[in-house]
Amino acid sequence: MTDTPKPKLRSRAWFDNPANIDMTALYLERYLNFGISLEELRSGKPIIGIAQSGSDLSPCNRHHLVLAERVREGIREAGGIPMEFPVHPIQETGKRPGAALDRNLAYLGLVELMYGYPLDGVVLTIGCDKTTPAALMAAATVNIPAIALSVGPMLNGWHKGERTGSGTIVWKARELLAAGKLDDEGFIKLVASSAPSTGYCNTMGTATTMNSLTEALGMSLPGSAAIPAPYRDRQECAWRTGKRIVDMVHEDLKPSDILTLDAFHNAIRVNSAIGGSTNAPIHLAALARHIGVELPLTDWEDKGHKIPLLVNLQPAGEYLGEDYYHAGGVPAVVAQLMGQGLINEGAMTVNGQTIGDNCRDATIEDENVIKPFDQPLKAEAGFIVMTGNLFDQAIMKTSVISDEFRARYLSNPDDPEAFEGPAVVFDGPEDYHARIDDPSVGITTDTLLFMRGAGPIGYPGAAEVVNMRPPSYLITEGVGALPCIGDGRQSGTSGSPSILNASPEAAAMGGLALIQSGDSVRMDLRKGRVDVLISDEEMAQRKADLEARGGYPYPASQTPWQEIQRSMVGQMNTGMILEGTEKFQQIHQTRGLPRDNH
């Protein structure tokens, strides 16, 4: 048997092209100026990029500045040459008006870097929410060998002997502040207690969700997603990731070999089992479109709704990231689903093995944190896809429906899983903050709160503002949550059972642009509908009147990128991508090498 020949390295077109020696000399010359040698560049060893997402502006990913040293050592040991380069920073809690605005910008930049430079493979350093999909989307578009390395979650937060989860404690602290149980300084100290180390959110927020789903998709090493950032295991994982990418280049193992429909369906089921973020459908839809896989939003309900909640992490549970890792992480969850035939075991992963081979023997190490399949926290924990006359599609996360919320709104024996009440509509978070505690607004326990103007176009970038707390006067009466509906998003760390990601948004003249405070609204989970209870004729008249006034108003763009994004961005139910970019599929294979630069 003869060995399969190794694929030709694309970096040779820069550093070893006998047909164009003058350009070869030009490319070689400037890369020598920091000490790398002609011998190395002309050695025929693969050039491996390290897409560095860590920086002072991105504290959640900053530890990658340290981890990259171990990645480099792994690459060198396996016979590669590392080249580290910066990625546009995206910090969820730092970027205004919102980090989601920059996901597509980072994607575009990374595509140009991966395609236009002499890289044979790339290590994607991921972590904070939008850094993960941006990197995966770019890797899918270029389609050279790529492997993801998570920075890992922070250590557990603690306050007065109790776990405090990053993000999740913010929403609880807001309620305590509104109820007068915390002062301003106490609020800040309580929230700060949840961030004791380097790393991303230690809750099952969007960061832990997307890093877990990256592993479930097969794009990171098995068992790697849950390792806390400061642990020595994370350093070892960085080294192994560096070693593995070199082998992937020689094997020509690419994102298109891994990111199949089977892999996406695996990720949907894992998301339900871990109590994952409502941001996941947006990002996986974007990734699927860029790799050329059909993944309608309805797959999240069809494949994931009946999956039980197995992971007991905040906000749906009580534990945090360190506990998740010690309990077995993603492999333990996958093994439980495999036992029920719910995982496509033949899906390929970056280590060259199938997900079935990687996870078949994984065990739960702590059943307080990861439950066996037959002892779940909730029997059905996936998303419900909603529709109605206010939007075409929206989602609701069922794993965070509390007993209190269910008892108040979904337990009428004559009308189960449904609720009707008057709407109070807020046009953006500024309007909400200005009026939520004003008794004259008339918010009661029967009220449904609506947030609009918060979508991809309207905000811009789709803000995490749909999880609206009740008025302070209701919080003091023990009301923890009101029904919330909106065309924005919410943090994965929030435990609010909102109906959100509504598409089309108000700024695109979706039905939410037409609702008015005082309208009666019915939400029905059995039918998967939310409807404002007015006639079609009234809706049509409101739409005509609004169009005559120039449409739903939203703030003007403040930067060139905001205007570019608004002119191209799609809606959340189809991934919120820059429409038209999805036609650039697997460009290393389909578009050839870029032209020489001189």
Side-chain angles (χ1 to χ4, degrees), residues 425-430 450-463 465-466 485-489 502 504-508 512-513 552-555 566 572:
V425 182
F426 298 104
D427 289 292
E430 298 85 359
F450 281 81
M451 173 63 68
R452 67 184 177 191
I457 298 170
Y459 201 71
V465 294
V466 177
I485 301 167
D487 62 4
R489 302 176 298 112
E505 62 182 298
L512 287 176
Y552 180 82
Y554 53 85
R566 278 171 155 164
M572 283 184 278

Side-chain angles (χ1 to χ4, degrees), residues 534-562:
I534 61 176
S535 67
D536 292 344
E537 292 76 16
E538 173 65 16
M539 283 285 280
Q541 185 60 55
R542 290 185 186 182
K543 184 173 184 179
D545 292 344
L546 185 57
E547 288 175 339
R549 297 195 299 271
Y552 180 82
Y554 53 85
S557 295
Q558 297 168 301
T559 66
W561 172 242
Q562 289 183 19

Side-chain angles (χ1 to χ4, degrees), residues 352-512:
Q353 305 295 315
T354 66
I355 192 172
D357 290 338
N358 290 339
C359 300
R360 187 167 294 110
D361 297 327
T363 58
I364 298 172
E365 301 298 328
D366 186 345
E367 292 188 1
N368 291 313
V369 181
I370 299 178
K371 301 292 186 180
F373 189 90
D374 59 357
Q375 301 173 39
L377 280 82
K378 292 192 176 182
E380 297 178 356
F383 299 149
I384 297 174
V385 178
M386 308 290 286
T387 188
N389 63 3
L390 290 172
F391 43 76
D392 294 340
Q393 290 183 314
I395 60 170
M396 184 179 192
K397 181 178 178 178
T398 61
S399 64
V400 292
I401 297 176
S402 67
D403 292 341
E404 176 211 339
F405 188 91
R406 181 169 294 281
R408 182 173 286 118
Y409 299 111
L410 301 174
S411 297
N412 182 346
D414 298 323
D415 194 14
E417 299 292 301
F419 177 75
E420 291 184 17
V424 168
V425 182
F426 298 104
D427 289 292
E430 298 85 359
D431 184 26
Y432 160 76
H433 288 299
R435 296 196 293 132
I436 185 60
D437 292 324
D438 183 352
S440 69
V441 176
I443 298 172
T444 71
T445 54
D446 294 330
T447 302
L448 292 89
L449 303 181
F450 281 81
M451 173 63 68
R452 67 184 177 191
I457 298 170
Y459 201 71
E464 294 186 336
V465 294
V466 177
N467 50 313
M468 295 170 279
R469 68 162 176 83
S472 56
Y473 57 83
L474 289 182
I475 292 174
T476 58
E477 294 175 6
V479 178
L482 296 176
C484 297
I485 301 167
D487 62 4
R489 302 176 298 112
Q490 72 183 34
S491 169
T493 65
S494 171
S496 174
S498 308
I499 296 170
L500 70 168
N501 304 357
S503 304
E505 62 182 298
M509 289 301 290
L512 287 176

Side-chain angles (χ1 to χ4, degrees), residues 163-407:
R163 288 174 176 83
T164 53
S166 46
T168 301
I169 194 62
V170 174
W171 322 123
K172 178 63 178 176
R174 282 181 177 177
E175 295 177 9
L176 295 173
L177 184 68
K181 296 180 180 180
L182 277 180
D183 61 16
D184 291 356
E185 191 64 23
F187 182 100
I188 290 172
K189 288 182 177 179
L190 178 57
V191 172
S193 72
S194 69
S197 75
T198 190
Y200 55 70
C201 290
N202 49 28
T203 48
M204 189 54 73
T206 304
T208 296
T209 296
M210 290 306 301
N211 285 264
S212 295
L213 298 191
T214 297
E215 183 179 328
L217 284 165
M219 286 297 293
S220 60
L221 291 176
S224 64
I227 305 170
Y231 278 25
R232 67 170 179 82
D233 301 21
R234 177 57 65 192
Q235 298 267 357
E236 180 181 336
C237 180
W239 173 73
R240 294 190 182 281
T241 299
K243 288 188 66 176
R244 178 58 193 155
I245 186 58
V246 177
D247 289 339
M248 290 177 66
V249 169
H250 292 316
E251 296 163 11
D252 198 28
L253 182 58
K254 305 177 296 298
S256 60
D257 302 314
I258 296 168
L259 296 172
T260 62
L261 182 60
D262 281 351
F264 282 102
H265 286 167
N266 286 343
I268 287 173
R269 291 176 173 129
V270 168
N271 189 78
S272 298
I274 65 177
S277 167
T278 52
N279 289 306
I282 303 170
H283 299 318
L284 261 63
L287 179 58
R289 292 185 69 187
H290 283 299
I291 200 67
V293 170
E294 291 290 330
L295 190 72
L297 187 63
T298 51
D299 278 9
W300 285 84
E301 181 169 345
D302 295 343
K303 304 295 182 182
H305 175 51
K306 301 293 185 181
I307 302 297
L309 178 63
L310 303 183
V311 176
N312 187 13
L313 246 66
Q314 298 179 26
E318 57 182 310
Y319 291 95
L320 294 173
E322 283 188 88
D323 311 304
Y324 180 41
Y325 176 54
H326 291 301
V330 174
V333 175
V334 171
Q336 290 298 305
L337 298 176
M338 284 174 59
Q340 306 299 315
L342 294 170
I343 291 292
N344 300 305
E345 296 185 24
M348 182 55 63
T349 74
V350 290
N351 72 344
Q353 305 295 315
T354 66
I355 192 172
D357 290 338
N358 290 339
C359 300
R360 187 167 294 110
D361 297 327
T363 58
I364 298 172
E365 301 298 328
D366 186 345
E367 292 188 1
N368 291 313
V369 181
I370 299 178
K371 301 292 186 180
F373 189 90
D374 59 357
Q375 301 173 39
L377 280 82
K378 292 192 176 182
E380 297 178 356
F383 299 149
I384 297 174
V385 178
M386 308 290 286
T387 188
N389 63 3
L390 290 172
F391 43 76
D392 294 340
Q393 290 183 314
I395 60 170
M396 184 179 192
K397 181 178 178 178
T398 61
S399 64
V400 292
I401 297 176
S402 67
D403 292 341
E404 176 211 339
F405 188 91
R406 181 169 294 281

Side-chain angles (χ1 to χ4, degrees), residues 26 116 155 158 325 423 488 518 579 583:
L26 181 65
L155 302 179
W158 294 92
Y325 176 54
E579 293 296 334
K583 70 183 179 184

Side-chain angles (χ1 to χ4, degrees), residues 47-187:
I47 308 294
I48 304 298
I50 303 173
Q52 180 55 264
S53 62
S55 72
D56 290 353
L57 283 178
S58 300
C60 291
N61 286 27
R62 194 180 188 282
H63 191 49
H64 275 307
L65 298 174
V66 176
L67 296 176
E69 293 302 316
R70 290 293 280 153
V71 175
R72 285 174 175 271
E73 291 171 4
I75 292 169
R76 285 284 185 182
E77 182 166 333
I81 299 173
M83 285 192 175
E84 189 173 344
F85 58 89
V87 176
H88 180 84
I90 312 177
Q91 176 58 34
E92 189 64 39
T93 57
K95 174 61 194 286
R96 297 171 70 170
L101 181 67
D102 281 15
R103 187 202 67 180
N104 290 334
L105 182 59
Y107 156 77
L108 289 176
L110 191 48
V111 167
E112 292 300 318
L113 289 165
M114 291 172 62
Y115 182 63
Y117 282 87
L119 302 176
D120 300 302
V122 65
V123 174
L124 309 166
T125 62
I126 63 172
C128 189
D129 301 12
K130 312 304 181 294
T131 62
T132 301
L136 294 177
M137 289 157 59
T141 294
V142 180
N143 202 41
I144 61 174
I147 187 171
L149 172 66
S150 172
V151 75
M154 291 185 285
L155 302 179
N156 291 356
W158 294 92
H159 183 75
K160 296 183 177 180
E162 295 185 2
R163 288 174 176 83
T164 53
S166 46
T168 301
I169 194 62
V170 174
W171 322 123
K172 178 63 178 176
R174 282 181 177 177
E175 295 177 9
L176 295 173
L177 184 68
K181 296 180 180 180
L182 277 180
D183 61 16
D184 291 356
E185 191 64 23
F187 182 100

